[in-house]
Amino acid sequence: DVKVTQSSRYLVKRTGEKVFLECVQDMDHENMFWYRQDPGLGLRLIYFSYDVKMKEKGDIPEGYSVSREKKERFSLILESASTNQTSMYLCASSLGQASGNTIYFGEGSWLTVV
Amino acid sequence: AQSVTQLGSHVSVSEGALVLLRCNYSSSVPPYLFWYVQYPNQGLQLLLKYTSAATLVKGINGFEAEFKKSETSFHLTKPSAHMSDAAEYFCAVRKDTGRRALTFGSGTRLQVQP
């Protein structure tokens, strides 16, 4: 089974703090994603990476950055957390370029910024 | 650009009744379509996917979906609801060629009444 592991399930951070959300996958997938989930809005893509050190902006990249130094690990960084970044963050991964390939999700990280 | 619309943010059915969750897509090319389920406090799990092989797609837990090009729809059905089906369901489409991420609908929360 594919396993996507997000290191923190629940975090509480203060406004202005730098926040790191870590994600690891164990299936040698090329692609990794960070989504944000908010009620009534579904999932929105923040960033994705298709190879080590490669990244592409998603639909809502403002206020976020990412890092992929190793194939299995993809980090989401909030340089200066704000209250409007309180949300559920989901990491995901998939194999290769084929459009029918399944995307596998982690269990999510609940971030509250106070 | 491809997108999906889920009609009805909340659906309530009785145990044993038919489940019908609606999804319409907009796409200029034949799409790849997915249904995911999210149980409380968990990540997303793939239910089924359409990759142009067959218009009627069977998934896990007794769910199926039919791709109807003439109606631009990919509705999810289950003949008999079970209490354990209570969850949030997301329809998703693969975005433009060359992008590996999925675009998600806003979700439908299914409630199953005893």
Side-chain angles (χ1 to χ4, degrees):
Chain A
D1 278 356
V2 175
K3 192 158 181 66
V4 180
T5 303
Q6 296 182 230
S7 57
S8 303
R9 289 299 311 275
Y10 302 95
L11 305 93
V12 180
K13 298 292 182 181
R14 295 192 182 279
T15 301
E17 273 193 78
K18 190 169 186 175
V19 180
F20 293 86
L21 300 180
E22 306 285 348
C23 175
V24 176
Q25 50 93 4
D26 66 355
M27 285 301 291
D28 204 34
H29 283 172
E30 289 86 352
N31 309 309
M32 295 190 74
F33 310 86
W34 276 105
Y35 284 89
R36 170 176 172 162
Q37 182 180 5
D38 298 288
L41 297 178
L43 280 73
R44 293 177 292 167
L45 182 67
I46 305 172
Y47 268 98
F48 94 96
S49 168
Y50 53 91
D51 201 350
V52 175
K53 297 190 187 295
M54 306 303 290
K55 62 186 179 185
E56 271 197 30
K57 292 181 180 179
D59 300 314
I60 52 164
E62 297 78 18
Y64 303 94
S65 62
V66 290
S67 172
R68 192 163 181 205
E69 297 295 321
K70 293 185 177 181
K71 191 175 185 180
E72 68 272 16
R73 188 178 296 272
F74 192 36
S75 302
L76 180 69
I77 304 158
L78 288 67
E79 294 289 342
S80 178
S82 64
T83 55
N84 63 12
Q85 292 178 310
T86 291
S87 187
M88 164 85 133
Y89 292 88
L90 288 159
C91 177
S93 72
S94 72
L95 181 68
Q97 297 184 49
S99 294
N101 287 350
T102 299
I103 291 183
Y104 297 89
F105 284 84
E107 294 204 330
S109 298
W110 284 97
L111 172 65
T112 301
V113 183
V114 298
Chain B
Q2 292 153 336
S3 66
V4 289
T5 302
Q6 291 185 244
L7 299 175
S9 59
H10 289 81
V11 170
S12 182
V13 301
S14 298
E15 194 173 17
L18 171 72
V19 176
L20 171 61
L21 304 182
R22 299 178 187 273
C23 174
N24 287 90
Y25 68 90
S26 65
S27 174
S28 57
V29 297
Y32 291 88
L33 293 158
F34 302 75
W35 275 101
Y36 281 82
V37 61
Q38 184 180 37
Y39 299 104
N41 297 318
Q42 294 187 24
L44 275 68
Q45 178 184 1
L46 180 71
L47 273 177
L48 50 81
K49 62 182 177 181
Y50 169 75
T51 58
S52 76
T55 56
L56 182 62
V57 182
K58 294 188 183 297
I60 61 171
N61 301 338
F63 284 93
E64 63 182 37
E66 186 171 7
F67 174 73
K68 291 188 176 180
K69 186 177 179 180
S70 61
E71 299 177 7
T72 60
S73 68
F74 190 56
H75 301 331
L76 182 70
T77 60
K78 182 173 180 178
S80 177
H82 192 272
M83 296 296 289
S84 61
D85 294 326
E88 189 152 24
Y89 293 79
F90 293 94
C91 183
V93 64
R94 183 80 66 183
K95 288 194 80 171
D96 302 344
T97 302
R99 291 200 67 175
R100 306 177 192 191
L102 293 178
T103 297
F104 285 84
S106 55
T108 298
R109 186 167 296 280
L110 176 66
Q111 191 174 24
V112 182
Q113 307 282 1

